[in-house]
Amino acid sequence: MHFQWYPGHMTKAKRMMQENIKLVDLVIELVDARIPLSSRNPDIDELGHNKARIVVLNKSDLAEERWNDAWSRYFEEKGFLVVKVDSRKGSGMKVIQNVIREACKEKIERDKKRGILNRPVRAMVVGIPNVGKSTFINALAGKACTKTGNKPGVTKGKQWIRLNRQVELLDTPGILWPKFEDQKVGLRLAFIGSIKEEILNTQELALEFIQFMHEKYAGVLEEKYHIEADSESYATLNGIAESRHCLLKGNELDTDKAAFLLLDDFRNGRLGRITLETC
Ligand code: G4P
């Protein structure tokens, strides 16, 4: 499977990011816990090189806990502060508040030395499309937040959400563009649904996914779809089509539909917690 992807609007996203990042002290980078490296854009290291940094393993509810822990250690060893969260449920939000405080300590100290008191630390959330940025901002900010800036009739500017006395969050996240020269990275992004389906062949993608499952999560598909164990991917896809009654006219198996169902089950956690990329 070979595909390339770099839509034009990502160039615009990069420009926006360069502008916005100048306004903040802290960058909160969301990655998908199922593919923590493949869902990163390494350019963020250069863009945010003199900023405080936090890596958030989002959607940690969909990934295996032992790998969430291993990835946390991985990023910690690289010098990042790391938090695992499930933004949909809101778990991990208390921890992240503390970690934000910790990340900002240095900056607050520096301000103090220069005689600047009570200037809030400014933060922004960044990540590739669909990684959960909006869900995360909503969970973190909650209902109690107050927005500042951009008041009607006053100066036009950015909207900031006041998280507490010390921290303000930019209300629009920075969109990072997925980056992959390596086809394996592209494939993982496609598995989690971060690459538009129109440019991919769903069935081919499902066959690649089945192969991965056979190698790393043997037996899971067989148990879920009540099908016989078979190491051949196409036979498994046929088995899924049969067990899910995906049929075309004339009772022919609709493997396209089965492929779609399988990927949808995976993306929504119905195959259990699965980590696609390990460290
Ligand atoms: P974005 O701003 O980065 O583009 O992502 P967004 O918040 O729109 O989230 C993309 C999808 O990921 C949403 O699902 C959202 O509910 C889901 N999501 C975000 N964080 C988590 C998490 O920690 N765990 C899980 N399991 N899911 C998460 P959707 O199906 O597109 O929308 P919806 O039906 O949930 O509204």
Side-chain angles (χ1 to χ4, degrees), residues 30 32 34 57-62 85-91 93 125-138 173-175 267-269:
L30 260 64
D32 189 305
R34 293 167 296 175
L57 291 171
N58 194 40
K59 307 197 186 184
S60 61
D61 54 307
L62 298 176
V85 308
D86 170 356
S87 299
R88 218 180 223 170
K89 285 220 181 88
S91 65
M93 294 303 145
V125 170
V126 306
I128 63 168
N130 210 39
V131 74
K133 298 179 294 298
S134 312
T135 314
F136 174 80
I137 290 176
N138 286 338
I175 302 169
R267 288 169 185 166
N268 289 295

Side-chain angles (χ1 to χ4, degrees), residues 7-156:
H9 64 266
M10 288 297 161
T11 314
K12 194 174 156 219
K14 185 168 183 176
R15 224 176 305 124
M16 281 283 288
M17 172 73 76
Q18 281 163 332
E19 268 176 41
N20 284 339
I21 214 161
K22 287 185 203 148
L23 307 173
V24 302
D25 312 293
L26 167 67
V27 174
I28 302 172
E29 181 190 0
L30 260 64
V31 299
D32 189 305
R34 293 167 296 175
I35 53 167
L37 277 191
S38 296
S39 59
R40 283 196 87 205
N41 181 325
D43 293 358
I44 189 64
D45 287 337
E46 197 187 315
L47 285 167
H49 78 276
N50 53 359
K51 312 289 175 185
R53 302 281 301 278
I54 296 176
V55 169
V56 172
L57 291 171
N58 194 40
K59 307 197 186 184
S60 61
D61 54 307
L62 298 176
E64 268 194 89
E65 198 56 19
R66 67 185 170 121
W67 288 114
N68 291 341
D69 290 338
W71 278 111
S72 297
R73 284 195 299 277
Y74 172 94
F75 284 110
E76 274 159 13
E77 277 163 20
K78 297 251 179 286
F80 295 102
L81 288 160
V82 188
V83 189
K84 314 180 265 194
V85 308
D86 170 356
S87 299
R88 218 180 223 170
K89 285 220 181 88
S91 65
M93 294 303 145
K94 279 238 169 72
V95 180
I96 192 128
Q97 293 268 11
N98 293 336
V99 173
I100 289 175
R101 226 165 270 139
E102 159 115 26
C104 296
K105 242 192 231 154
E106 220 175 280
K107 157 104 198 49
I108 293 165
E109 284 302 311
R110 227 182 312 134
D111 274 359
K112 241 189 219 163
K113 275 190 196 136
R114 289 190 196 142
I116 306 166
L117 291 176
N118 303 326
R119 184 176 85 75
V121 170
R122 290 193 148 175
M124 79 184 282
V125 170
V126 306
I128 63 168
N130 210 39
V131 74
K133 298 179 294 298
S134 312
T135 314
F136 174 80
I137 290 176
N138 286 338
L140 184 62
K143 292 186 194 89
C145 68
T146 48
K147 292 198 173 185
T148 62
N150 214 19
K151 295 183 188 79
V154 193
T155 47
K156 205 167 160 242

